[in-house]
Amino acid sequence: MNSRHDKFSDKIINLPPSGIRKFFELIIGGDDIISLGVGEPDFPTPWQIREEAWYYLERGHTSYTSNWGLLALREEIARYLTKFGLVYNPQTEILITIGVSEAIDIVLRAILNPGDEIIICEPCYVSYQPLAKICDAQLISFDTSKTDFYPTAEALEKIITPQTKALMLCTPSNPTGRMIPRDELEKIAELVKQHNLWVLADEIYCELVYDGKQHCSIGSLPGMKDYTITLNGFSKAFAMTGWRIGYMCCPADLMEQVHKLHQYSAICAPIISQYGAIEGLRHSASEVEKMRLSYQQRRNLMRKGLTEIGLQVVQPDGAFYMFVDIRDIKFDGRLCNSEEFAVKLLEEYRVAVVPGSVFGVGGEGFVRCCYATEINKLKIALKRIGELVAQ
Amino acid sequence: MKEILNLLQNDARLSAQDIADLTNKSVAEVQAIIKRLEADGVILKYTAIINSEKLEQGINKKDKCQAVIEVQITTERGYGFDVVAERIYRFPQVKSLYLMSGSYDLQVIIEGESLKEIAFFVAGKLATLSGVKSTKTHFILKTYKENDVIYVDAKKDIREGVSA
């Protein structure tokens, strides 16, 4: 019989809350705190996108859209993705979602059976493990810290078993900014095909790559389309985090399954956000480039500042994060962990960063700094971090 | 070089050190580039952008006044646009001067202490210049944006900042 003792789902009770969020509740109310914690652009959405959305709002475009999302948007996305060598049919292979987050949730539920193994390259964004966990999948954490913070085919091969169903990748990576080099992706692609895996490619940071590097989509490699789920969105490059709009692309047979979940749980992404996104793809390339350059400049400043303080950083090729090595830092003669470092930095030096431990295996010993903050604040933050390190 | 110019255009007070840090160049390299840009006249000067409406609220109560003037010109051989333009832009009251396509030739932006002063300048100096056929004066009522700078709202970080 039902009782008050089991009023919640055991599965959900056992699901840990996001470590980032837990940490950020400490910040509220601290005015002089400089936050390098939030993973979002410090630019508002480019004006023409906001203006376009406003126009549609004024004209009363406030309805649902097709579950798939507006066809015009899917067509723009199909066109846009060809620049990465990805070819998707806007009618059957592209779905507009409530950000990449929803896409990850529904696609995992559509591919994983209880007991299936999913390899997650960690440290990684905080939603991958819990969302796979509620599918009763076996999580296989792959520690990329041993291979310079990107997965190698050689190391992956050792943990693939007949139960392995999927591989989760993110390049450029949150929280490290690391990119998987093309030649390594090619080797990983061979493994994926050989073992018949699904590869989930979170490419939300694909526009934010620096020093002339080129983003490589695994789905564009020969024969990979049938094995790839490409996840992307507008939050980061177009500075549209609050619009909650993303998309996923995959073969039509998988899409049929995913589509059911999307239809029941989300219906569709907000129509206004969809109109904004169309405008973004049509006319915002120069704005995106301006923002990218500004992140690159701030990355340079941060990397140099941190190095001068004596801290090593994981080579940040893209995104707007820096994964800072704090393994040599001692408090009272004892090596500290990333959470202790972050708490001390926040409480005594008023700078918020995220402890690496929240990003899974391989994250301990590091903290994530997001440098999407104005230059003067970055300089103060560097000074404060320097004071903590010197102490 | 373009990157350095863009940075300076946005904030001329950035030090060579800052620019070096942002662009991944050495300080000496940045200093050399800036020096060359200055010598070549690419960088003409460094100024402050002043919101005079804010100034008026303070001690300096002087009411500055600006107008856009459309000027039509008759040119003659040896007495072209550039000659007339030079005679106009040498007046210190003239803030900007452009040669235009369309229904008039020169656009003059002028600043004075009062409406009267501007009227006097237009009637006494500008309209009587040889080559000037007609003038049409429009007074500026409010500045919203000038040279990329928005005058009406203060920029601040308004991110809510929770999860991702």
Side-chain angles (χ1 to χ4, degrees):
Chain A
M1 197 189 113
N2 200 4
S3 78
R4 296 301 282 172
H5 295 294
D6 63 355
K7 62 181 173 177
F8 303 127
S9 150
D10 292 335
K11 214 194 272 183
I12 306 306
I13 290 171
N14 291 326
L15 205 61
S18 160
I20 309 183
R21 181 161 197 137
K22 181 182 120 199
F23 202 74
F24 278 94
E25 272 154 19
L26 297 171
I27 297 187
I28 295 164
D31 274 353
D32 61 332
I33 290 171
I34 294 177
S35 177
L36 308 180
V38 214
E40 71 177 322
D42 64 335
F43 296 100
T45 307
W47 173 250
Q48 69 263 33
I49 296 177
R50 289 186 272 159
E51 201 272 338
E52 183 79 359
W54 190 342
Y55 171 78
Y56 280 97
L57 195 55
E58 258 181 339
R59 301 243 305 200
H61 289 265
T62 54
S63 63
Y64 293 127
T65 67
S66 141
N67 296 125
W68 292 94
L70 296 167
L71 182 60
L73 176 56
R74 286 178 280 139
E75 284 170 347
E76 284 299 335
I77 289 168
R79 203 166 300 142
Y80 165 78
L81 289 176
T82 57
K83 89 171 193 184
F84 298 110
L86 295 166
V87 180
Y88 287 107
N89 180 343
Q91 303 273 1
T92 55
E93 296 175 330
I94 299 176
L95 177 71
I96 310 301
T97 56
I98 318 277
V100 172
S101 296
E102 187 218 351
I104 295 171
D105 181 21
I106 58 180
V107 79
L108 287 174
R109 285 195 275 158
I111 59 175
L112 293 173
N113 283 314
D116 282 346
E117 290 178 3
I118 174 170
I119 298 173
I120 299 179
C121 301
E122 302 178 21
C124 67
Y125 180 54
V126 295
S127 82
Y128 303 162
Q129 299 107 322
L131 291 177
K133 213 170 185 174
I134 54 176
C135 299
D136 298 313
Q138 281 296 319
L139 272 56
I140 310 296
S141 290
F142 176 81
D143 182 355
T144 62
S145 69
K146 300 199 166 62
T147 47
D148 209 7
F149 289 96
Y150 64 83
T152 62
E154 194 191 347
L156 273 174
E157 190 160 25
K158 292 185 187 133
I159 55 169
I160 293 175
T161 74
Q163 281 69 49
T164 309
K165 184 82 162 275
L167 168 65
M168 184 84 214
L169 301 176
C170 178
T171 179
S173 148
N174 175 4
T176 66
R178 210 73 174 95
M179 282 165 78
I180 308 174
R182 172 179 272 271
D183 57 346
E184 199 59 57
L185 268 181
E186 284 167 352
K187 288 185 219 155
I188 294 171
E190 289 312 311
L191 268 185
V192 165
K193 287 186 279 189
Q194 190 187 328
H195 294 273
N196 280 310
L197 310 181
W198 281 113
V199 54
L200 288 87
D202 182 349
E203 302 186 357
I204 186 76
Y205 295 100
C206 69
E207 286 286 340
L208 305 180
V209 300
Y210 309 126
D211 306 327
K213 288 210 163 70
Q214 296 291 320
H215 168 74
C216 175
S217 288
I218 192 165
S220 72
L221 298 176
M224 278 305 288
K225 186 176 164 180
D226 285 345
Y227 299 89
T228 306
I229 298 143
T230 301
L231 304 157
N232 210 327
F234 296 87
S235 293
K236 312 293 179 174
F238 295 82
M240 292 177 73
T241 50
W243 300 66
R244 305 309 308 123
I245 181 137
Y247 53 92
M248 59 166 288
C249 313
C250 67
D253 56 351
L254 171 58
M255 191 60 93
E256 256 176 63
Q257 305 307 318
V258 175
H259 185 266
K260 288 186 274 182
L261 290 163
H262 172 70
Q263 166 185 313
Y264 291 130
S265 68
I267 303 176
C268 64
I271 184 170
I272 292 306
S273 306
Q274 295 192 49
Y275 279 116
I278 293 173
E279 177 66 16
L281 288 174
R282 286 185 183 160
H283 301 122
S284 300
S286 66
E287 293 291 310
V288 169
E289 171 55 19
K290 258 191 236 168
M291 293 191 275
R292 188 200 67 81
L293 184 61
S294 162
Y295 298 134
Q296 176 175 299
Q297 291 167 344
R298 290 181 276 178
R299 177 203 66 153
N300 294 340
L301 175 93
M302 265 314 262
R303 180 173 51 189
K304 179 153 183 284
L306 288 165
T307 312
E308 280 171 4
I309 288 166
L311 295 170
Q312 298 296 311
V313 297
V314 177
Q315 170 60 31
D317 306 311
F320 35 49
Y321 306 109
M322 216 162 264
F323 216 44
V324 185
D325 190 342
I326 51 120
R327 285 176 295 186
D328 291 337
I329 305 293
K330 284 182 182 163
F331 293 157
D332 308 319
R334 184 182 57 83
L335 289 171
C336 69
N337 65 33
S338 62
E339 185 158 347
E340 288 165 341
F341 182 90
V343 168
K344 198 177 179 80
L345 185 62
L346 177 61
E347 288 179 347
E348 294 176 31
Y349 296 86
R350 322 300 284 163
V351 177
V353 296
V354 184
S357 54
V358 311
F359 301 104
V361 175
E364 184 47 59
F366 293 80
V367 293
R368 185 189 80 172
C369 296
C370 172
Y371 49 80
T373 283
E374 56 185 280
I375 293 168
N376 289 333
K377 283 191 181 166
L378 289 179
K379 285 179 15 187
I380 299 170
L382 280 169
K383 195 166 151 268
R384 293 181 184 175
I385 295 170
E387 282 163 10
L388 169 62
V389 170
Q391 178 228 32
Chain B
M1 192 179 79
K2 186 97 207 282
E3 193 179 359
I4 294 178
L5 279 176
N6 285 339
L7 282 168
L8 283 174
Q9 217 170 0
N10 187 49
D11 181 2
R13 300 227 293 179
L14 280 177
S15 66
Q17 178 73 60
D18 287 340
I19 294 172
D21 291 351
L22 289 167
T23 58
N24 226 1
K25 292 184 164 65
S26 73
V27 177
E29 205 179 335
V30 169
Q31 280 168 335
I33 292 172
I34 293 176
K35 215 168 170 183
R36 202 178 65 232
L37 289 166
E38 288 169 349
D40 292 350
V42 177
I43 296 175
L44 286 171
K45 66 188 220 167
Y46 303 90
T47 65
I49 296 168
I50 290 158
N51 186 346
S52 53
E53 260 178 56
K54 287 273 166 70
L55 185 68
E56 283 152 25
Q57 288 158 13
I59 356 154
N60 191 339
K61 270 277 179 195
K62 256 185 203 162
D63 211 5
K64 289 240 173 170
C65 198
Q66 284 189 21
V68 178
I69 305 161
E70 298 172 4
V71 182
Q72 282 186 320
I73 304 283
T74 0
T75 54
E76 285 169 31
R77 182 181 285 236
Y79 197 77
F81 289 126
D82 291 352
V83 180
V84 186
E86 187 179 351
R87 296 197 64 178
I88 295 175
Y89 67 62
R90 288 201 176 277
F91 284 106
Q93 294 91 328
V94 174
K95 274 179 72 94
S96 315
L97 179 65
Y98 308 97
L99 178 63
M100 309 294 290
S101 68
S103 59
Y104 60 96
D105 305 305
L106 293 175
Q107 187 186 64
V108 187
I109 298 177
I110 136 161
E111 187 176 77
E113 297 297 336
S114 65
L115 210 131
K116 221 169 157 182
E117 192 186 297
I118 288 179
F120 177 78
F121 178 81
V122 175
K125 305 284 182 197
L126 201 57
T128 56
L129 265 183
S130 104
V132 170
K133 202 166 80 185
S134 74
T135 64
K136 206 186 257 180
T137 305
H138 312 270
F139 285 96
I140 292 172
L141 303 180
K142 184 172 180 176
T143 305
Y144 293 102
K145 183 176 181 180
E146 202 170 86
N147 293 328
D148 294 331
V149 181
I150 294 174
Y151 280 57
V152 280
D153 65 351
K155 188 190 152 206
K156 66 175 206 247
D157 193 340
I158 52 167
R159 287 179 290 179
E160 300 279 333
V162 185
S163 70

